[in-house]
Amino acid sequence: MSPSAGAPDQFVRWFRQATPYVHAHRGRTFVIAFSGEAVADADFPNLVHDLALLHGLGIRLVLVHGARPQIEACLARRGAGFRYVNGLRVTDDEALASVKEAAGSLRVEIEALFSQGLANSPMAGVRIPVASGNFVTAKPLGVLDGVDYLHTGVVRRIDRDALCRRLDDGAAALMPPIGYSPTGEVFNLSAADVARSAAIALRADKLIFLLEEPGVTDGQGSVVSNVLSGEVNDLLAASPDLPEDLAQSLHAGADACIQGVRRVHLISRRIDGALLRELFTRDGIGTLI
């Protein structure tokens, strides 16, 4: 049935309403973090299609991926597992080997999805180079309360110039949860730490976390649309049982805001098109810090 000659249909209205956001986002730098669970999901290609659309609209993309289920699967094949102390992973030699294996496999999988170009698909005619590399210098977490966390590390520095060159060349930068020391050591990092550090170093316009949860919710389960960075510590203290990825993202997001990132978005990766709804509608769909 063809559209009537009267009022514009829903698609046209939405497209027109999105126009201010299209102009506002062009040329901006967004750091977008998503979990290994998101990559393993059968709907992950839909997220790649949405990321390709953002790239086509002139948005500079830095993509940070997690790898937890892939690492755990590698460890299970080796008959091993992660040891956690006080909520922190202890990465021994066997666990580090699994981290390397999982990160390498995920890189190939993600690059393959960005290389699609089938006719009559969202990727038709799309050419998005994906650049990965040793952008993250890391240091060991060290010994805390008598526990040596071995190859678990934290971000020491982001190679901002190298990242900017890749973005200037039109590439999407891909950053795994891995860092390297000046002596050539490899460290297992938190994806939230990598995303936070990259956003701060790049002075990113947005830091976006795609989570298992819909964002911060109130007592009735409704999404809280806005949280101030100064409120996050009190929120975390009042809700010690928050899911780990949400708690980490809140902590990282608040710190990023304090250090100059203007907006941090926490949205559900489970809702198809959530990223587009958050970025191109007035009310969004998640929690904004």
Side-chain angles (χ1 to χ4, degrees), residues 30-35 39 44 48 51 60-66 102-114 128-136 162-163 166-167 171-178 180 194 198 202:
F30 294 179
V31 177
I32 302 175
F34 48 89
S35 64
V39 182
F44 182 63
V48 172
L51 293 170
R60 294 152 59 92
L61 297 178
V62 177
L63 309 176
V64 181
H65 70 81
S105 177
L106 283 172
R107 174 184 172 180
V108 172
E109 184 175 346
I110 294 169
E111 288 178 350
L113 288 171
F114 274 100
I128 304 177
V130 178
S132 187
N134 55 342
F135 301 125
V136 182
L163 268 174
R166 304 305 190 278
L167 297 175
L174 181 63
M175 302 180 70
I178 285 178
Y180 308 91
V194 174
L202 291 168

Side-chain angles (χ1 to χ4, degrees), residues 5 39-40 42 46 52 70 74 78 94-95 107 149 154 172 174 182-183 235-236 238 240 249 260 273-274 276:
V39 182
N46 290 338
Q70 292 81 5
C74 291
R78 298 166 188 252
E94 195 158 28
R107 174 184 172 180
Y149 287 87
V154 294
L174 181 63
T183 58
L235 175 62
L236 290 171
S249 299
L276 301 183

Side-chain angles (χ1 to χ4, degrees), residues 32 44-59 61 63 113-116 121-128 130 170 172 275-276 280:
I32 302 175
F44 182 63
N46 290 338
L47 175 58
V48 172
H49 297 162
D50 292 347
L51 293 170
L53 174 58
L54 299 186
H55 185 272
L57 292 173
I59 296 170
L61 297 178
L63 309 176
L113 288 171
F114 274 100
S115 300
Q116 296 178 96
S121 79
M123 300 295 286
V126 175
R127 177 71 178 93
I128 304 177
V130 178
L275 184 59
L276 301 183
F280 295 101

Side-chain angles (χ1 to χ4, degrees), residues 111-186:
E111 288 178 350
L113 288 171
F114 274 100
S115 300
Q116 296 178 96
L118 291 175
N120 300 317
S121 79
M123 300 295 286
V126 175
R127 177 71 178 93
I128 304 177
V130 178
S132 187
N134 55 342
F135 301 125
V136 182
T137 300
K139 61 183 179 181
L141 184 59
V143 178
L144 300 177
D145 297 326
V147 177
D148 187 348
Y149 287 87
L150 301 172
H151 303 292
T152 297
V154 294
V155 176
R156 171 178 281 172
R157 185 178 67 86
I158 299 291
D159 191 341
R160 180 180 184 274
D161 291 341
L163 268 174
C164 285
R165 284 194 295 271
R166 304 305 190 278
L167 297 175
D168 291 343
D169 289 340
L174 181 63
M175 302 180 70
I178 285 178
Y180 308 91
S181 76
T183 58
E185 295 175 277
V186 179

Side-chain angles (χ1 to χ4, degrees), residues 76-112:
R77 290 195 294 270
R78 298 166 188 252
F82 264 128
R83 183 164 68 98
Y84 289 84
V85 180
N86 297 324
L88 297 172
R89 294 185 297 269
V90 178
T91 309
D92 59 19
D93 291 343
E94 195 158 28
L96 182 63
S98 294
V99 169
K100 294 177 183 177
E101 180 181 340
S105 177
L106 283 172
R107 174 184 172 180
V108 172
E109 184 175 346
I110 294 169
E111 288 178 350

